[in-house]
Amino acid sequence: MYATRTVPLTGHGIEQKRQELKLAFNHTWDLYESLFSVINNDQAYFVKAEPLRHPLIFYFGHTATFYINKLKLGKFIEQRVNPHFESMFAIGVDEMSWDDLDETHYQWPSVADVKKYRDDVKSLVNTVIDELPLSLPISEGDPAWIILMGIEHERIHLETSSVIIRQLPLADVTPSPFWPACTDTNAAPDNRLLSVAGGHISLGKTDEENTYGWDNEYGSQTYQVSDFKASKYLVSNQEFLAFVKADGYRHPRYWNDEGKAWLAFTQATMPRFWRKKDGQWLQRNLTEEIPLPLNWPVEVNQLEAKAFCNWKAEQSQCPIRLLTEAEWYLLRQNIDADSPHWDEAPGNIELGYYASSCPVDRFEHEGFCDIIGNVWQWTETSIDGFQGFQVHPLYDDFSTPTFDGKHNLIKGGSWISTGNESIKASRYAFRRHFYQHAGFRYVESHQAPETMASLNIYETDELISQYLEFHYGPEYFAVPNFCIHGVQACLREIQLTRHHRALDIGCSVGRASFELAKTFDHVDGIDFSARFIQQAYSLTEQGEKRYTIRTEGDLVEFKCVTLAELGYQDIANKINFVQGDACNLKPQFGQYDLIYASNLIDRLSNPKQFLSAIHQRLNPGGYLVIASPYTWLEEYTDKANWLGGIKVNGENFTTLDGLTETLIPHFELVAVKEIPFVIRETKRKFQHSLSEMTIWRHRST
């Protein structure tokens, strides 16, 4: 049990919990080495059985290195065990594409040297567990959390390494009584669709829950799922064989663009673990090849699963697709228990029954089989963090590299899923061309997956990220937030008689628009950059915005802002964000009581054209607010169109002079103020600037 189930964070006593940690660490460690013991010669450790991954020698050393690197990073140990190994074995491979081959040639150490290293690390970690301060419940800041992190990390690699071993030549592996495969094979039952009631579902783990979790499990996200039908069984080898025999791999219409490109590169004609020899279909398992077990679940990547669904939809003339994460959770409600608290695993999971898949009709709950276990279930859902997502400071890149729309969630676990992988809240995702012990079930639904909840990808464009941080990030060097300070400063100087409509022209990513919406009934936020507007719009629609900001070199910090945290959740509906040209605004943008133009005029191609016509869009008595550092550059504005910063008749002519000359026919100057601002570029590099704010009142006549 200690090797396969996660350790609860609470308990009846400190020393009892310490012993549970030791048992879980040592049993998981030994189980991992037991898996590698099926390899019968040292040379096989250095074969790249999976071309897109390191050879197995890397993964044999990697899980030990992980403990040392995290304990050292957290300052829980002072000395390394082997600095060379702890560099070489530190980082695995997450290939960008199926053709992104790692051609680096490594000077790998011998298997004996790595085994000796593992023994040394095992001894050290046991000592750490014996001596670490421990309190209950264990929380993520405790050294015991790092031990749990290492245990769960090794359990992940237990599963992914078994997939690689499955691709070694048969001559390199030997069947083991400790890894017994299922022997029950037969024809598969006919699959059919069963009705599932939809509903409102909330996902996400809280800090109060009793099991270790990876960062992507925490937070909250709500979904509205329509009624749907789901297949009773996972798709069996027999059911998928019909797709293969129908030349499904050769008909492009079943494959999306990504799938077509993958097919063109791999020339695949069947699932990865199938073989066809002398007219007979075979399947490769962990250590043996057997006649294709028709009643076991098929194992494919997400692209193949999608193609099958498209073929099935064509055959049935029904909207067939993969299930979503939210739909899987509705099925999961049919099982009350959860690991580690169940007495007996209610599915082929946690190595509780076999070291292989088994028939798809073996474990049934409320009409559905294999809701959990047997093989993972590919979904339509690209992984993303829930609202409130935060990285763990000692493992800040566990999830965030996958928040790119290219990694899809797998749900339910497989026969070798242990620990955190087998709990209800777990969330693991892989690239869509990636092979795992993963299959799928299909659903019939008229609801598009993207309508259930929005995909919130981290914004990584450096310029956009800088502006998001400028608008929504913390104050630096005690300089107030420029957007908040600017709006508040101008409102203190004016006497509004109407609060109906305001225009934030050159709104960038939108913070000033939100501030104006505190005062005005309606705010139009307009910017020439569609990319900037997209950030503001997605914040209003999704309630949060995520972005990365550079710290140094290639290192980044992950940020998340929400409407609720900013206090804007009740006013966001007052703002209309649109893309537009300040010099060519559409007629409907008018009758404003205030126009706010911040850091805009020195980026316009013809600022005088904008200023000469802007009075037409203001109500009499309305106000025009202009803020700018006056950084005139010819890449934005021809020098002939600069408002100031030039010599006129041999005398200095400032931008304030130019503003006054242009605006005085229709405006009176109310106030001139200096507004400082700071833009962060990296953790240690900032721009500090002053923006001159001028406030103008539209003359009544």
Side-chain angles (χ1 to χ4, degrees):
M1 185 182 97
Y2 288 107
T4 59
R5 296 189 186 176
T6 196
V7 178
L9 303 179
T10 56
H12 300 295
I14 298 297
E15 292 312 309
Q16 179 181 334
K17 184 58 59 177
R18 192 184 304 277
Q19 289 308 307
E20 289 178 19
L21 283 172
K22 286 199 73 171
L23 287 168
F25 166 71
N26 286 289
H27 288 193
T28 302
W29 189 278
D30 294 343
L31 181 63
Y32 192 67
E33 293 191 350
S34 171
L35 173 68
F36 280 79
S37 73
V38 305
I39 303 172
N40 59 27
N41 68 91
D42 285 2
Q43 279 305 113
Y45 279 80
F46 303 93
V47 173
K48 288 191 75 170
E50 165 54 73
L52 302 177
R53 290 290 182 267
H54 287 312
L56 283 158
I57 190 67
F58 170 86
Y59 300 102
F60 193 48
H62 173 64
T63 57
T65 287
F66 183 90
Y67 281 100
I68 301 303
N69 286 341
K70 296 307 177 188
L71 289 169
K72 188 73 169 63
L73 184 62
K75 296 181 171 57
F76 300 122
I77 59 173
E78 293 183 4
Q79 300 296 323
R80 293 188 170 277
V81 175
N82 185 323
H84 177 59
F85 281 14
E86 285 140 21
S87 174
M88 174 182 287
F89 292 133
I91 300 174
V93 181
D94 179 31
E95 80 288 352
M96 296 299 293
S97 180
W98 49 85
D99 58 354
D100 186 17
L101 303 180
D102 179 17
E103 301 291 357
T104 307
H105 295 285
Y106 296 91
Q107 295 298 315
W108 300 111
S110 70
V111 175
D113 286 345
V114 178
K115 181 61 172 67
K116 171 65 166 59
Y117 171 72
R118 285 184 60 86
D119 292 343
D120 292 343
V121 172
K122 183 179 182 181
S123 176
L124 175 61
V125 175
N126 271 294
T127 300
V128 170
I129 297 173
D130 286 336
E131 298 176 355
L132 59 78
L134 186 60
S135 60
L136 298 178
I138 298 170
S139 64
E140 68 168 28
D142 297 337
W145 190 270
I146 305 306
I147 302 301
L148 290 173
M149 182 185 288
I151 293 169
E152 297 298 349
H153 174 261
E154 189 155 53
R155 287 167 170 164
I156 293 172
H157 283 284
L158 176 75
E159 180 150 359
T160 57
S161 295
S162 73
V163 178
I164 300 174
I165 290 173
R166 213 175 155 182
Q167 296 172 74
L168 282 174
L170 275 173
D172 289 332
V173 294
T174 301
S176 166
F178 299 108
W179 296 90
C182 179
T183 58
D184 184 359
T185 66
N186 212 322
D190 291 335
N191 215 344
R192 60 185 185 274
L193 291 163
L194 304 178
S195 296
V196 182
H200 189 79
I201 186 168
S202 295
L203 304 183
K205 201 170 185 177
T206 67
D207 292 334
E208 289 70 43
E209 295 197 36
N210 193 28
T211 53
Y212 174 89
W214 297 107
D215 51 13
N216 62 46
E217 298 167 27
Y218 293 94
S220 62
Q221 182 72 57
T222 58
Y223 300 84
Q224 186 63 44
V225 182
S226 301
D227 295 348
F228 64 99
K229 295 178 181 179
S231 61
K232 177 180 178 68
Y233 306 111
L234 300 179
V235 173
S236 65
N237 282 324
Q238 178 175 303
E239 190 172 9
F240 197 85
L241 183 59
F243 171 68
V244 174
K245 289 182 174 179
D247 284 335
Y249 280 79
R250 293 186 175 89
H251 290 301
R253 68 180 182 274
Y254 302 134
W255 300 80
N256 59 24
D257 289 344
E258 186 179 353
K260 291 173 188 173
W262 174 79
L263 269 183
F265 182 81
T266 62
Q267 298 295 304
T269 59
M270 66 184 74
R272 170 73 63 87
F273 301 116
W274 286 16
R275 308 280 187 272
K276 193 173 186 183
K277 186 177 181 181
D278 299 329
Q280 183 183 18
W281 292 99
L282 306 171
Q283 175 170 299
R284 170 63 189 270
N285 292 336
L286 183 64
T287 60
E288 59 188 349
E289 201 168 76
I290 63 173
L292 185 67
L294 296 176
N295 58 343
W296 291 15
V298 71
E299 292 163 281
V300 292
N301 64 28
Q302 201 263 3
L303 303 173
E304 293 168 297
K306 281 284 289 179
F308 174 92
C309 289
N310 293 336
W311 172 76
K312 188 79 174 176
E314 182 180 275
Q315 299 290 308
S316 64
Q317 293 298 296
C318 295
I320 301 294
R321 57 166 171 78
L322 299 174
L323 50 62
T324 65
E325 181 181 29
E327 287 167 338
W328 179 83
Y329 273 102
L330 289 176
L331 294 182
R332 182 63 176 78
Q333 291 175 354
N334 291 310
I335 301 176
D336 293 331
D338 196 11
S339 185
H341 306 297
W342 50 41
D343 295 325
E344 185 177 68
N348 185 17
I349 199 167
E350 295 182 340
L351 292 167
Y353 301 92
Y354 311 106
S356 73
S357 301
C358 70
V360 295
D361 55 357
R362 181 64 51 86
F363 297 93
E364 182 173 339
H365 295 87
E366 303 300 326
F368 291 97
C369 293
D370 292 331
I371 294 173
I372 63 169
N374 223 359
V375 295
W376 291 91
Q377 299 170 51
W378 280 109
T379 71
E380 297 276 356
T381 309
S382 297
I383 191 173
D384 190 19
F386 294 140
Q387 292 187 19
F389 168 84
Q390 292 182 315
V391 299
H392 191 282
L394 298 185
Y395 202 171
D396 61 2
D397 58 352
F398 177 79
S399 297
T400 48
T402 68
F403 294 169
D404 57 3
K406 299 175 182 178
H407 292 72
N408 277 47
L409 283 157
I410 53 176
K411 304 300 293 184
S414 77
W415 54 269
I416 196 174
S417 297
T418 59
N420 171 269
E421 292 175 302
S422 64
I423 69 172
K424 182 178 179 180
S426 73
R427 304 182 79 226
Y428 293 88
F430 291 95
R431 294 190 183 276
R432 291 181 279 269
H433 61 273
F434 185 85
Y435 279 92
Q436 189 65 343
H437 304 300
F440 65 104
R441 77 172 72 239
Y442 50 86
V443 302
E444 178 184 320
S445 173
H446 292 277
Q447 185 180 19
E450 61 270 15
T451 65
M452 297 179 191
S454 299
L455 173 66
N456 303 315
I457 300 173
Y458 271 87
E459 177 57 58
T460 58
D461 180 281
E462 190 158 12
L463 178 64
I464 291 176
S465 294
Q466 282 185 10
Y467 272 85
L468 286 167
E469 179 75 355
F470 176 41
H471 279 230
Y472 300 105
E475 294 181 359
Y476 293 105
F477 310 110
V479 177
N481 179 282
F482 177 70
C483 300
I484 298 174
H485 186 198
V487 170
Q488 291 176 347
C490 78
L491 291 177
R492 283 195 297 268
E493 296 291 336
I494 63 179
Q495 297 178 341
L496 286 170
T497 56
R498 291 159 52 94
H499 304 80
H500 298 321
R501 289 169 56 82
L503 170 64
D504 183 9
I505 184 69
C507 68
S508 182
V509 295
R511 183 70 183 268
S513 299
F514 287 106
E515 286 297 310
L516 290 168
K518 292 179 177 180
T519 300
F520 293 90
D521 300 330
H522 175 85
V523 177
D524 287 317
I526 300 177
D527 198 275
F528 187 72
S529 169
R531 292 192 303 158
F532 281 171
I533 284 295
Q534 184 182 20
Q535 313 309 311
Y537 179 78
S538 66
L539 177 58
T540 60
E541 289 296 301
Q542 299 171 4
E544 68 174 345
K545 189 65 201 172
R546 300 170 182 178
Y547 59 96
T548 62
I549 187 74
R550 188 178 299 277
T551 55
E552 57 179 280
D554 292 332
L555 305 180
V556 296
E557 182 179 354
F558 294 87
K559 296 292 194 79
C560 176
V561 294
T562 69
L563 290 179
E565 291 170 352
L566 297 168
Y568 297 150
Q569 68 271 30
D570 295 328
I571 59 174
N573 60 352
K574 297 165 67 174
I575 307 171
N576 174 42
F577 285 113
V578 292
Q579 189 272 338
D581 184 352
C583 295
N584 189 28
L585 291 174
K586 294 180 179 179
Q588 68 262 32
F589 297 114
Q591 297 185 315
Y592 294 111
D593 303 309
L594 182 140
I595 295 177
Y596 189 80
S598 175
N599 290 1
L600 171 73
I601 60 166
D602 55 1
R603 293 297 179 264
L604 296 177
S605 61
N606 194 336
K608 185 167 286 191
Q609 176 187 340
F610 164 74
L611 294 170
S612 298
I614 197 65
H615 68 279
Q616 300 171 14
R617 300 181 185 276
L618 267 173
N619 292 322
Y623 290 87
L624 171 65
V625 180
I626 297 172
S628 173
Y630 306 148
T631 51
W632 298 101
L633 296 170
E634 289 187 89
E635 63 183 284
Y636 298 107
T637 314
D638 288 343
K639 198 164 188 178
N641 291 333
W642 289 8
L643 287 178
I646 54 177
K647 293 279 190 177
V648 175
N649 298 324
E651 301 295 334
N652 292 343
F653 192 81
T654 67
T655 302
L656 181 57
D657 294 331
L659 285 170
T660 303
E661 182 179 273
T662 306
L663 292 174
I664 206 66
H666 302 285
F667 292 90
E668 58 182 346
L669 182 60
V670 174
V672 179
K673 304 179 72 67
E674 297 282 357
I675 309 293
F677 64 92
V678 171
I679 295 178
R680 169 180 164 167
E681 293 185 24
T682 69
K683 187 176 182 179
R684 296 176 179 83
K685 183 181 179 183
F686 298 81
Q687 299 177 28
H688 184 274
S689 306
L690 288 175
S691 188
E692 184 171 81
M693 175 179 284
T694 57
I695 303 172
W696 308 81
R697 184 176 181 274
H698 187 205
R699 302 180 193 275
S700 300
T701 56

